[in-house]
Amino acid sequence: MKKIFFISVLILTAAVSLSAEKLSMIQGTYLNTSRNYDWGSFTTKENYSEAGITYTYFNGKGIGIYSSTTIALPFAYKAQIDGREVTGVSIDAYDRFQIGIDMLIGPGFLVNLNPRFSILAAGGLHFNGIALISDNYMIDPYLAYNLGPGLAINGLLNLTDHFNINLSYMMAWDRLEFVTMPELDSDVTAKGGLTFAISAGLGFKY
């Protein structure tokens, strides 16, 4: 009886997998991410604006696995101390290597509202990383990698059964900073930050 049940589960899983919808989207993205630090007597906030390309993938039938990956170039930087903006700061000091990486993976939910419009929503584990390196030996490499929960919602206008244009929004709370360079002083605490992204592009269903 147990063998019959096990075989039935395998057959059902295989059938669902074969009938699952596979959706891929390639999007241009504006992404904004922040880093907050408590220095004891004051707090700082660093904010990065980035532009890049996002690849989003969904595999499921109504419910499935969602993943998105963004490769971006930081183009603007702002800093605040106790809520007051710091003037004269720029990302241009890091003149050799600048890159941002953003990922979200978790369960996704695809809802076809009508034959021409669908909503793809997802939530799960979010990763955001920033790497900045300069040829100037007086400027230390900067790395900050964060993890936290994230949510995404995608609106899909289905032009055909297999082709769509789409608009997406993602927001995440990057509550855990697990890599920092230069290392923080012992009396400094990383407080995480927020990331949001707006994307638009083309999608393919197969």
Side-chain angles (χ1 to χ4, degrees):
M1 189 67 180
K2 289 183 178 179
K3 288 184 178 179
I4 294 174
F5 176 75
F6 182 68
I7 293 172
S8 299
V9 170
L10 288 179
I11 292 173
L12 180 61
T13 302
V16 170
S17 178
L18 288 173
S19 64
E21 292 180 303
K22 296 178 177 64
L23 176 65
S24 295
M25 296 186 290
I26 300 173
Q27 305 161 311
T29 299
Y30 167 78
L31 186 141
N32 187 286
T33 188
S34 62
R35 301 289 189 271
N36 298 281
Y37 302 96
D38 185 349
W39 296 74
S41 58
F42 61 94
T43 61
T44 62
K45 178 179 181 180
E46 301 175 3
N47 186 273
Y48 297 87
S49 296
E50 306 174 36
I53 299 294
T54 297
Y55 174 73
T56 300
Y57 178 76
F58 172 78
N59 185 357
K61 191 170 181 63
I63 300 174
I65 298 298
Y66 175 98
S67 66
S68 68
T69 301
T70 301
I71 305 297
L73 297 177
F75 64 86
Y77 168 78
K78 292 182 180 180
Q80 295 179 348
I81 297 177
D82 286 339
R84 296 189 299 273
E85 189 166 332
V86 179
T87 60
V89 296
S90 171
I91 202 171
D92 295 335
Y94 295 96
D95 53 5
R96 184 163 69 88
F97 184 79
Q98 304 175 10
I99 192 168
I101 300 174
D102 192 88
M103 294 186 289
L104 177 66
I105 184 168
F109 307 89
L110 180 62
V111 180
N112 299 311
L113 299 181
N114 59 57
R116 286 290 171 247
F117 189 75
S118 303
I119 295 291
L120 174 61
L125 181 64
H126 177 257
F127 165 85
N128 183 273
I130 300 171
L132 305 172
I133 299 174
S134 174
D135 280 332
N136 188 335
Y137 71 93
M138 298 182 66
I139 301 176
D140 292 329
Y142 174 85
L143 301 174
Y145 296 160
N146 285 30
L147 287 173
L151 296 170
I153 186 165
N154 305 265
L156 286 67
L157 180 61
N158 303 305
L159 301 181
T160 71
D161 290 341
H162 301 285
F163 178 69
N164 68 73
I165 57 176
N166 52 73
L167 182 66
S168 305
Y169 181 79
M170 185 276 297
M171 175 169 278
W173 177 31
D174 304 322
R175 65 184 311 272
L176 173 65
E177 185 164 312
F178 64 97
V179 173
T180 305
M181 186 183 296
E183 291 186 7
L184 299 174
D185 295 337
S186 58
D187 58 343
V188 181
T189 304
K191 292 293 188 178
L194 295 176
T195 297
F196 71 88
I198 300 172
S199 305
L202 306 176
F204 306 90
K205 186 184 294 184
Y206 49 97

